[in-house]
Amino acid sequence: DQLFPRPANVSLKSVRVRRVSRAIAWKVISRYEWLGTLPICKYYYGAMFDGLYCGGVACILNYIGAGPYVNKWLSVPKGKVAYLTRGACVHWAPTGTAPKLINWSAKEMGRLGFHAMLAYSDTNAGEIGTVYQAAGWHCLGHGSSIIEYVSPEGRVYNGILANMLRRKTGRGKWSDWDKYLVDNGWTKQKSNPKL
């Protein structure tokens, strides 16, 4: 693979985790993460081999849709929860790369003042949290379902699509864009709850 060449030394002992650019994270996520999308995150970490080759990334944000109650639920101060929003490893990364990357990233977030870190396993992708179990994390159970939009071509979009269109155009209300999508062949469905 020319985009992700295999380094000479591919061992878990040789991996070093460090901050990487969004551009590097995008290359890995767009190819190896099932959604193939990358929200704007604040922190990007890479599992580096031979100092040059990125074998995986963890993309972290300090707030997403878990809502304003997650801090109370976890008994941590407001704004002190980090979210692993995307992560993936390349095809040649050795077994154990993902848990090492996840735990190192979580420790780094702790050094930056965060008290907790959450991640989701997407049941639509068949994920059951294997890498989080290997990292020693605890499963907190299923989240709630959200509304998703399905394009006429069958691609599934997050329920915030109507609000994104409203903000991008600066026109109308959420309900106007919701009606527009449905009138133009889009359907709505409830998502499978994530772990």
Side-chain angles (χ1 to χ4, degrees), residues 23-38:
I24 289 173
W26 168 246
K27 286 181 182 180
V28 175
I29 294 298
S30 65
R31 174 98 182 252
Y32 291 98
E33 205 275 338
W34 91 282
L35 290 173
T37 61
L38 182 57

Side-chain angles (χ1 to χ4, degrees), residues 110-174:
R111 282 192 280 278
L112 293 172
F114 291 89
H115 293 223
M117 191 158 130
L118 292 178
Y120 295 93
S121 291
D122 196 331
T123 55
N124 284 336
E127 297 172 350
I128 59 171
T130 304
V131 296
Y132 304 115
Q133 293 171 44
W137 284 36
H138 300 284
C139 181
L140 302 175
H142 283 95
S144 56
S145 292
I146 62 168
I147 295 297
E148 297 174 323
Y149 291 98
V150 182
S151 73
E153 297 78 31
R155 182 159 180 203
V156 178
Y157 292 82
N158 189 297
I160 63 170
L161 178 63
N163 201 38
M164 289 171 51
L165 292 169
R166 180 189 62 79
R167 280 186 285 171
K168 187 175 183 178
T169 63
R171 297 179 310 154
K173 299 180 283 190
W174 174 89

Side-chain angles (χ1 to χ4, degrees), residues 7-175:
N9 184 11
V10 181
S11 73
L12 197 53
K13 288 182 179 180
S14 71
V15 70
R16 297 293 176 261
V17 178
R18 65 174 173 86
R19 284 194 71 173
V20 295
S21 68
R22 178 178 169 80
I24 289 173
W26 168 246
K27 286 181 182 180
V28 175
I29 294 298
S30 65
R31 174 98 182 252
Y32 291 98
E33 205 275 338
W34 91 282
L35 290 173
T37 61
L38 182 57
I40 298 296
C41 295
K42 189 167 183 178
Y43 309 95
Y44 304 94
Y45 295 101
M48 305 304 290
F49 294 84
D50 288 347
L52 299 170
Y53 302 93
C54 186
V57 294
C59 308
I60 301 167
L61 186 59
N62 58 341
Y63 178 80
I64 60 168
Y69 307 108
V70 73
N71 296 87
K72 289 180 184 178
W73 181 54
L74 294 174
S75 299
V76 299
K78 188 174 182 176
K80 296 298 180 180
V81 177
Y83 297 89
L84 177 59
T85 60
R86 294 289 187 277
C89 287
V90 304
H91 63 282
W92 49 258
T95 300
T97 301
K100 186 170 186 172
L101 174 59
I102 290 166
N103 281 341
W104 190 94
S105 299
K107 286 177 187 171
E108 183 61 21
M109 298 313 291
R111 282 192 280 278
L112 293 172
F114 291 89
H115 293 223
M117 191 158 130
L118 292 178
Y120 295 93
S121 291
D122 196 331
T123 55
N124 284 336
E127 297 172 350
I128 59 171
T130 304
V131 296
Y132 304 115
Q133 293 171 44
W137 284 36
H138 300 284
C139 181
L140 302 175
H142 283 95
S144 56
S145 292
I146 62 168
I147 295 297
E148 297 174 323
Y149 291 98
V150 182
S151 73
E153 297 78 31
R155 182 159 180 203
V156 178
Y157 292 82
N158 189 297
I160 63 170
L161 178 63
N163 201 38
M164 289 171 51
L165 292 169
R166 180 189 62 79
R167 280 186 285 171
K168 187 175 183 178
T169 63
R171 297 179 310 154
K173 299 180 283 190
W174 174 89
S175 57

